[in-house]
Amino acid sequence: MSQKKAIDITMMTGAVLGSLVLLNLLGLGLFGRLDLTRDGEFTLSEATKQTLRSLTDDVTIRAYFTKELPPPYAANSRYVHDMLEEYYTHSHGNLRYEFIDPVSEETDRDKESKKELKQDIFGRQIREETTVEKELREQGIPSVQVRVNEGDKLEVKQAYMGILIKQGDRKEVIPVVQGTDGLEYNLTTAIRRVSRGGGSAGVTIPKIAILTGHGAPDPKEKLSKLVGLMQQLYDVSFLDLAGKSEVPADLSALLVVGPQSALSEQEQQAIDQFIMSGKSVGFFLSPIAVELRKLQSDPVEHGLTSMLESYGVRIDPGQVLDIECAQLNVSQQRGFMQITQPVNYPFMPMPKALSATNPLTRGMGEAAFPFMSPLSILPGATGVKAEAVVSTSNQGWVEQPPYNLDPFYRRTAGSISGMGIYPYIVTVQGPLKSHFAQRAEAQAVTSPVAKANAEDARVLVAGGFSFITDEFFTPGNQALVSNFVDWLVRDDGLLAVRARGLASAPIDDKLSETKRNLVKYGNIVGLPVAFIAFGIFWWRRREASRAEAVL
């Protein structure tokens, strides 16, 4: 090798290394991410960015992750670090974060105490908590056990994977980050809670009221889980409209849950005018009151049927049943023994899949809907969008009273008629017309209401309310109802955040089996083969260039 060629190689090497160093230095102050996923799964949503931009007081996030976690937890750790960096970038300096390995925080005394083993009263070896472990436990971040393969030996070690969010003396905790699905939603809502809790300037907490009276479920007894869920993000109150002519104007949404007697015309007018003011109402209504322990049902009259029909939704008679249903644990006395067994209960529809296109149900599942009446969408005014949000599977049907609620009652195929898809939760959005204005027009009299139209109102109608009571408020129901509430208060951005990472991208079922296999295996091996082919092509081209240079 000539001296000139050696100098050229040295200069080239130095230039490459210098460029890499320069890029790293520039990267310290810059953050970017190329997101090629279909739904932008690795890009912060607009709702998150707006939350960060609205911060007026400093928020501190401490992510406690043990160093050198095994897969898949190591990938989660990197994901959290990248996400916090992006949060910091969009917060304009009002959010700061620390990524902490708890072991690095231990004092010399902590390290010594970890070596001191004692025996408990059962003879098991234990050690005292270190100051770091005690502090994290008091903050609500527990240690978890993970399996680590070290030196061809599988061991179980204690690790931390939690996040603490603080603003002043207010705090929120994500105890364990077990996966990345829903992490942005959890982190963003936690930031909202700590910032709203302090009444930060520019941060408005939407107000929601639950209607009381008329024999409706007591919110503090039968809807306590729903109230607790909503209070995490919203200001929740209880409203009795008896003797009142209007719903408070500062409310963002009103929930009408399970009245057992008819609302007066004055109360209905108050709700109607609230909707005409552009606000939202969720109607969770049932034409029957069910006593499940006695296997009895009694008809009730809430008086809202006619008003809902004027908005475009009709509550049809009967109860929807479904082959895809939840199970009841039923106890039976057999001799001297009490036996409990799960029984499929068609009065509790539990569709295996909810709509993947509707933002209210996208990615949702495992939600059960006991004792629901079917709904019909009626022709509406121009611009009004009515949509069935939740329906039975294609194996649903409707039964009329009297209802046989016995879980062991056997229905034969011949006893079921009209099997198909029946909606039981419907949303209506758009320029609605007042029910009382429509009635006045039909009777050719003066309208009794001040506002005859709404430019953009939102109404949600559910043919039952048991699914939001404490008895049936499962995690799946909670996630779905959270979407309903967010939609009613017009926090559509938060809907998008919650559903991120939950939707699948299945292969089109219209493709033939051969084409489906080509697509499936093409996704698996296509990219590696393409890289190999490109490498071979480049190598052959380089070899050809060398051969030409020798000649």
Side-chain angles (χ1 to χ4, degrees), residues 1-7 9:
M1 182 184 297
S2 67
Q3 183 176 3
K4 182 177 183 303
K5 191 171 183 179
I7 293 174
I9 293 175

Side-chain angles (χ1 to χ4, degrees), residues 224-301:
S224 60
K225 293 181 180 178
L226 171 66
V227 172
L229 181 70
M230 294 194 300
Q231 283 177 335
Q232 294 179 9
L233 287 176
Y234 305 114
D235 184 352
V236 182
S237 60
F238 311 117
L239 175 65
D240 188 346
L241 278 178
K244 297 183 176 67
S245 59
E246 62 180 13
V247 176
D250 62 343
L251 290 179
S252 297
L254 175 68
L255 303 185
V256 181
V257 182
Q260 305 293 291
S261 61
L263 276 67
S264 68
E265 182 157 318
Q266 183 181 24
E267 291 172 316
Q268 292 186 44
Q269 281 192 19
I271 296 173
D272 176 83
Q273 288 297 281
F274 182 69
I275 295 172
M276 292 307 106
S277 68
K279 300 300 181 65
S280 306
V281 177
F283 295 94
F284 300 84
L285 308 172
S286 177
I288 63 171
V290 177
E291 180 57 56
L292 193 56
R293 294 180 181 177
K294 296 180 181 179
L295 299 179
Q296 294 179 350
S297 66
D298 297 306
V300 299
E301 178 54 58

